[in-house]
């Protein structure tokens, strides 16, 4: 069976979950949804330009999401494609990070 996973990020001045994973089947029926907190990964923070943003083509960039006690490092390959990274260095860095103050 084939499924689609969509990842949404939300911006809000209020504390709370700001990332959502939605799993759907081929008929766009929602099978599951999970929300969590998103933080910029240190590797992406290093890529910020002089204005604090990312340039048009920064290469892959990373965030991590904590949902239901589980941390996942998300590698954004381009604007529409992402994957869960199992790179031990990236995961270790995210687990140890104190930079995300959410």
């Amino acid at each position: 069976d084939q499924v689609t996973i969509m990842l949404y990020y939300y911006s809000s001045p209020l504390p709370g979950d700001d990332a959502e994973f939605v799993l759907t089947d081929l008929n766009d029926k929602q099978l599951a949804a999970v929300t969590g907190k998103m933080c910029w990964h240190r590797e992406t923070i290093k890529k910020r330009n002089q204005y604090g943003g990312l340039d048009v083509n920064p290469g892959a960039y990373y965030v991590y999401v904590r949902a239901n006690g589980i941390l996942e490092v998300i590698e954004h390959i381009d604007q529409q494609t992402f994957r869960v990274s199992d790179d031990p260095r990236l995961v270790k860095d995210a687990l140890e990070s104190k930079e995300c103050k959410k």
Side-chain angles (χ1 to χ4, degrees), residues 5 7 9 19 21 34-41 61-76 82-87 90-95:
I5 300 174
L7 173 56
Y9 295 116
F21 294 92
V34 176
T35 63
K37 296 189 183 305
M38 183 280 292
C39 299
W40 292 105
H41 195 282
Y61 65 94
Y62 304 91
V63 300
Y64 56 94
V65 177
R66 292 182 193 273
N68 297 333
I70 298 170
L71 179 135
E72 296 288 2
V73 175
I74 309 300
E75 177 182 6
H76 288 273
F82 69 91
R83 65 179 167 207
V84 175
S85 176
D86 61 354
D87 180 319
L90 293 172
V91 173
K92 180 179 184 288
D93 195 42
L95 287 168

Side-chain angles (χ1 to χ4, degrees), residues 39-51:
C39 299
W40 292 105
H41 195 282
R42 208 172 302 173
E43 287 298 313
T44 298
I45 293 170
K46 292 177 190 176
K47 293 181 177 187
R48 288 189 172 164
N49 63 28
Q50 64 192 22
Y51 306 108

Side-chain angles (χ1 to χ4, degrees), residues 6 19-24 30-36 68:
M6 300 294 291
E20 180 181 28
F21 294 92
V22 177
L23 179 72
T24 59
Q30 183 173 316
L31 303 173
V34 176
T35 63
N68 297 333

Side-chain angles (χ1 to χ4, degrees), residues 1-4 24-29 31:
D1 292 338
Q2 186 175 5
V3 297
T4 299
T24 59
D25 66 14
L26 287 174
N27 298 316
D28 288 329
K29 178 183 175 195
L31 303 173

